[in-house]
Amino acid sequence: MRARETRRMAGEDTRAIVLVALTVCVILAMHVAKSRRRRSRRQFSIGAKLKRTGLRWYWALKAFVRLQRERLTGAIPGITIAALRAVDGDTLDDPATGTRYRLTNIDCPETDERAGCPHERSKGEQAKTEARKILASAKHLEFRSTGRKDVYGRTVAHIRVDGRDFGKLMIKRGLARRWTGKRAPWCGARGGLVDLARASGTLHVCMTCHVGMALGKAAASTVVAYPAVFRKIDSPTDEQKP
């Protein structure tokens, strides 16, 4: 009897141990499955985020390359314009449509209250006068949009005058500098007025900015070359004269 009772108790203990072991295995299996589902969802989420980020960078890079190409070369289809009016050296109005264009590749001195000194305003007026002369003598005007607008709502564009880039013409005449993408001062010892004076080989002295510059200094990197050289090149040849 005692041996039989011992075997029965041992069997009950074994079943209890097996039941506990099975319960633990089921709990562990459920935990592992839940962890795998979480890991799978997390991996899928990270992959989706990487894909979206990659696509955003791709389109942003593509747009950047396109804008840089347009900014440097203006190599996009052009639209003929009947007439343009110069608001200042780098801003033009289309009287027919009321559209205001901002030249994408140059920056000219200001002519209003934004001018830092009287010299900047005077140089800005010279640029506006020269721009009006160029437009008045133009036979064919072409507008090439960059697809952008500036903070003032102006359409940023290249303007071509008789097959030549308007911005480059202004630079060659010593009345504009290349637009680098950020506003730089015209006044001061390192301002744009000093660069234009160096390029044209003239003396620049401004009592307002406390700037004095001697003659004979090399042309600044922001200006193409001396205006006198290009005035001769830009003048009409005998074949071009009416």
Side-chain angles (χ1 to χ4, degrees), residues 4-192:
R4 187 181 301 174
E5 185 68 22
T6 303
R7 287 195 299 271
R8 184 178 64 80
M9 293 177 62
E12 290 178 357
D13 293 340
T14 303
R15 284 194 298 271
I17 294 172
V18 170
L19 182 60
V20 171
L22 288 174
T23 303
V24 171
C25 289
V26 170
I27 293 173
L28 289 175
M30 292 175 63
H31 179 72
V32 170
K34 189 174 182 180
S35 300
R36 287 181 177 177
R37 286 197 299 270
R38 288 178 178 175
R39 192 181 303 115
S40 178
R41 286 196 297 267
R42 186 165 57 251
Q43 289 175 352
F44 176 79
S45 178
I46 292 174
K49 289 181 179 178
L50 289 175
K51 184 178 179 180
R52 289 194 297 270
T53 303
L55 286 174
R56 283 199 298 267
W57 276 101
Y58 170 78
W59 290 114
L61 180 61
K62 189 174 181 179
F64 176 80
V65 171
R66 185 185 72 252
L67 291 177
Q68 288 297 320
R69 180 171 175 266
E70 292 171 355
R71 182 180 295 116
L72 294 175
T73 66
I76 49 180
I79 300 174
T80 301
I81 302 176
L84 287 172
R85 183 181 67 86
V87 178
D88 56 29
D90 53 27
T91 305
L92 309 176
D93 273 350
D94 184 356
T97 62
T99 304
R100 177 160 292 187
Y101 299 107
R102 172 63 166 86
L103 275 296
T104 185
N105 55 347
I106 63 168
D107 184 31
C108 290
E110 302 293 344
T111 58
D112 52 18
E113 66 277 359
R114 291 177 295 175
C117 68
H119 283 280
E120 181 182 354
R121 185 176 287 107
S122 175
K123 200 70 173 179
E125 292 294 337
Q126 292 179 30
K128 180 169 68 175
T129 301
E130 187 66 23
R132 289 179 175 176
K133 289 180 180 179
I134 294 173
L135 295 174
S137 61
K139 297 180 180 179
H140 180 75
L141 297 172
E142 192 176 279
F143 150 71
R144 299 187 177 191
S145 175
T146 62
R148 296 180 292 117
K149 290 183 179 292
D150 66 1
V151 294
Y152 302 104
R154 299 175 295 184
T155 299
V156 182
H158 289 269
I159 301 294
R160 297 186 69 82
V161 179
D162 297 330
R164 295 175 295 178
D165 186 86
F166 182 87
K168 291 181 180 179
L169 291 177
M170 295 296 291
I171 291 177
K172 291 174 183 179
R173 283 163 172 75
L175 298 170
R177 62 185 173 189
R178 290 192 185 96
W179 174 247
T180 60
K182 60 180 180 180
R183 188 172 295 280
W186 283 96
C187 299
R190 297 183 180 181

Side-chain angles (χ1 to χ4, degrees), residues 117-120 122 186-189 193-198 202-215:
C117 68
H119 283 280
E120 181 182 354
S122 175
W186 283 96
C187 299
L193 295 176
V194 174
D195 292 338
L196 296 183
R198 286 174 178 169
T202 58
L203 178 65
H204 175 68
V205 178
C206 181
M207 299 302 295
T208 305
C209 302
H210 305 288
V211 175
M213 188 191 72
L215 294 172

